[in-house]
Amino acid sequence: MSAITRNGVAIDDTFAEAFGMSGLGLVITADTAKWANICATVMTGFGTSVIGAGAECGIDREMSPDETPDGRPGVRVLMFGFSPDSLVPQLKNRVGQCVLTSPGSACYNGLDSPKTFALAAGPRFFGDGWQTAKKLGKRRFWRVPVMDGEFVIEDKCGYTTDGVGGGNLLMLGRDRAGLLEAAEAAVAAIAKVDDVITPFPGGIVRSGSKVGSKYKGAVASTNDAFCPTLKGAVKTECSPDTISVLEIVIDGLTSKAVAEAMRAGLKTLIEIGAAKGVTRISAGNYGGKLGPHHYHLKDLLP
């Protein structure tokens, strides 16, 4: 595979292959930014991969009081699934178990769209008949009595079927600690791009996968070509000095947002360069057979 070298780092002439997803956004507010973040973090927990988690979830960004419906500190979270139907139980359970329960929380629609879910369909019934509805303009809200006052939740939230899941960057390096530091910096750069999330722990995944397995019932297994410990046993993508490979996976509400996020991450990795032991940047794809969205690294170079 041919490569372009920038600042001592080889960038493969390849592409990240991503697929269509459905996505939604919520705005979670609380009395303080601390509690808005606690609520959002718990609500998006165990939201790494639809393969086993049911939905891919993460924090898009923090919101100032002048951006939120109730004038309090807030956090926008995004949630992605293979279809709108797959998001319905995830929405009900995550809001009911994690947002309703969090001190001082409120939950609002975070995506303008003609397509909507009934956001309050489950949580409002926790009021046991004492819940009340109020309409402000074209938006309807529910007030649910709870022990610290009221839980306010919007009646509906918007969703899109134009989301994209699986944008990615693969980073190879000769210094494990340095590679992780570089990956963290790339995730921080991606976090500044609106409408995207990096759903794995800290935005980074060390267990990149391939489709299928030798074991019956397993839909995915370790990406052996990028496992440094298997260099001598498989057709490897690791050079002799590669000791670590990390991946950043990106989901976005639009294809454009995913491309911008990959560009931001790629730029940061190149700027850090070989100083932190980054030797090569690649991307995961399946020959174009898995998804319709192809992000060529050469087109995203700064």
Side-chain angles (χ1 to χ4, degrees), residues 40-216:
T41 299
V42 175
M43 185 262 179
T44 57
F46 189 49
T48 55
S49 170
V50 290
I51 293 175
E56 298 182 6
C57 314
I59 292 174
D60 178 18
R61 65 184 181 94
E62 293 188 356
M63 302 178 72
S64 62
D66 61 358
E67 295 179 285
T68 63
D70 58 14
R72 301 190 302 165
V75 175
R76 188 193 193 207
V77 300
L78 303 181
M79 184 188 307
F80 295 89
F82 281 137
S83 68
D85 288 346
S86 71
L87 287 173
V88 172
Q90 292 289 325
L91 181 65
K92 179 180 178 181
N93 291 340
R94 289 174 183 271
V95 172
Q97 294 298 310
C98 305
V99 186
L100 169 66
T101 59
S102 184
S105 69
C107 187
Y108 305 101
N109 175 38
L111 178 64
D112 290 332
S113 173
K115 302 174 182 177
T116 61
F117 288 129
L119 174 60
R124 69 184 173 91
F125 292 113
F126 184 75
D128 199 28
W130 298 103
Q131 68 272 17
T132 58
K134 185 176 182 66
K135 196 168 185 180
L136 297 174
K138 295 183 178 181
R139 300 172 71 173
R140 191 184 193 201
F141 304 87
W142 288 90
R143 300 164 63 183
V144 181
V146 288
M147 293 194 298
D148 74 344
E150 291 183 329
F151 171 56
V152 178
I153 182 170
E154 193 156 354
D155 188 52
K156 297 183 183 299
C157 69
Y159 73 90
T160 180
T161 54
D162 295 326
V164 174
N168 67 84
L169 293 168
L170 282 167
M171 300 151 285
L172 292 77
R174 57 174 178 265
D175 181 327
R176 186 170 178 270
L179 186 67
L180 179 56
E181 188 176 333
E184 289 174 339
V187 169
I190 290 169
K192 296 177 182 178
V193 179
D194 288 344
D195 296 339
V196 299
I197 59 170
T198 50
F200 283 92
I204 302 166
V205 56
R206 59 100 175 253
S207 58
S209 62
K210 65 179 183 294
V211 175
S213 168
K214 65 184 289 185
Y215 297 106
K216 185 179 180 181

Side-chain angles (χ1 to χ4, degrees), residues 12-17 168 283-288 293-297:
D12 287 353
D13 184 7
T14 188
F15 61 91
E17 184 174 359
N168 67 84
N285 65 70
Y286 302 89
H293 302 281
H294 301 163
Y295 302 96
H296 291 265
L297 298 185

Side-chain angles (χ1 to χ4, degrees), residues 16-36:
E17 184 174 359
F19 43 87
M21 296 189 88
S22 296
L24 61 86
L26 299 177
V27 174
I28 295 170
T29 67
D31 297 323
T32 65
K34 171 187 173 181
W35 275 102

